Amino acid sequence: MWLRKHALLAQFMVVFAFLCFTAPCFAADPFAGRILPTKKVSFFTDGKKVGQYTAEAPLPWNTLVKCDGRTALRMEHMVVVFENGSSFMLSRTGNGDTLDLKTGTAYFTLKTLPEGLTFGTPQAPVVTEMMVLNAATGDQLLKGYVKAGKSESELGVLEGGSLMVRTADGQQTIKSGQRIILAQGTLGGGGLAPTGGGLSVGAITGITLGSLALLTGVAIAAAPSSDGEGSPFTPPN
């Protein structure tokens, strides 16, 4: 039942990911990737607002991003769609990259698993160790989500395969349609759980319609601009 609700969203994510993975991307330092807002995003460094963008822009590492409207992030190996009101930061160390989700929900699509990729949540980090794609998956993409909450957070796999991860509770494999819950003081939340407690039909419909807008934005963003940048910038007050 839950997977049927997400089927349409997954289809749009496949097209969206295809457009993103085939478009040019800033993957090297000092940029983590490129961000594509449907409304606007604000950048913060050391607690100070350093920029505000309403169109595609390069995203520096170690920058707190606050999303006003649904926002997409295009990286070399991963595409992420953040829900309205989400905030996050991307950092890189010698051990790998960390997507630290402070608030909100992020839907990700992976074509390959970057070495050392970590999903940060308010409760605890989740380190990815291996990704296995379903042989019958035609698009060869794994789709999942991270949801950050005050008392508990979730990491789930929507479809496409399984994800082996490690938390303070040890190693776990999240299969399609499963999630792990990170609860305050009790990592893992009792282990794996079905994702049936996730989004309502109305929420799925909203995400799907929003994905359509993002697809249009990505297609426009993929086209070369005349000035080489084309990212409106509002200086901080």
Side-chain angles (χ1 to χ4, degrees), residues 33-55:
R34 295 193 70 86
I35 198 159
L36 300 93
T38 57
K39 290 185 179 179
K40 68 178 180 180
V41 291
S42 299
F43 290 179
F44 295 82
T45 301
D46 297 327
K48 296 181 180 179
K49 187 174 183 179
V50 295
Q52 182 173 290
Y53 293 85
T54 57

Side-chain angles (χ1 to χ4, degrees), residues 172-192:
Q172 300 183 72
T173 298
I174 312 172
K175 298 179 181 180
S176 295
Q178 292 183 330
R179 60 178 173 166
I180 58 171
I181 299 175
L182 304 169
Q184 198 74 46
T186 308
L187 296 182
L192 294 169

Side-chain angles (χ1 to χ4, degrees), residues 1-11 134 143-145 156-161 175-179 193-199 201 204 208:
M1 178 65 180
W2 184 87
L3 291 178
R4 286 199 300 269
K5 293 178 183 178
H6 284 77
L8 189 56
L9 170 62
Q11 291 172 8
N134 291 339
K143 294 165 278 292
Y145 76 96
V157 174
L158 298 175
E159 66 174 56
K175 298 179 181 180
S176 295
Q178 292 183 330
R179 60 178 173 166
T195 50
L199 302 172
V201 176
I204 297 300
T208 301

Side-chain angles (χ1 to χ4, degrees), residues 2 7 18 29 35 49 62 75 78 89 109 162 172 215 223:
W2 184 87
F18 174 78
D29 290 338
I35 198 159
K49 187 174 183 179
N62 303 310
M75 302 176 69
M78 180 169 66
M89 179 184 292
T109 299
S162 60
Q172 300 183 72
L215 287 172

Side-chain angles (χ1 to χ4, degrees), residues 121-231:
T121 72
Q123 287 71 37
V126 180
V127 181
T128 62
E129 295 191 336
M130 186 172 67
M131 180 177 76
V132 178
L133 295 172
N134 291 339
T137 303
D139 51 56
Q140 292 296 292
L141 297 170
L142 184 137
K143 294 165 278 292
Y145 76 96
V146 186
K147 182 178 181 181
K150 292 182 179 179
S151 59
E152 65 178 35
S153 298
E154 303 176 14
L155 172 64
V157 174
L158 298 175
E159 66 174 56
S162 60
L163 194 62
M164 184 181 293
V165 301
R166 184 175 296 276
T167 69
D169 287 345
Q171 190 181 78
Q172 300 183 72
T173 298
I174 312 172
K175 298 179 181 180
S176 295
Q178 292 183 330
R179 60 178 173 166
I180 58 171
I181 299 175
L182 304 169
Q184 198 74 46
T186 308
L187 296 182
L192 294 169
T195 50
L199 302 172
S200 65
V201 176
I204 297 300
T205 302
I207 293 169
T208 301
L209 292 175
S211 297
L212 281 172
L214 274 177
L215 287 172
T216 303
V218 171
I220 295 173
S225 58
S226 57
D227 59 4
E229 183 54 48
S231 299

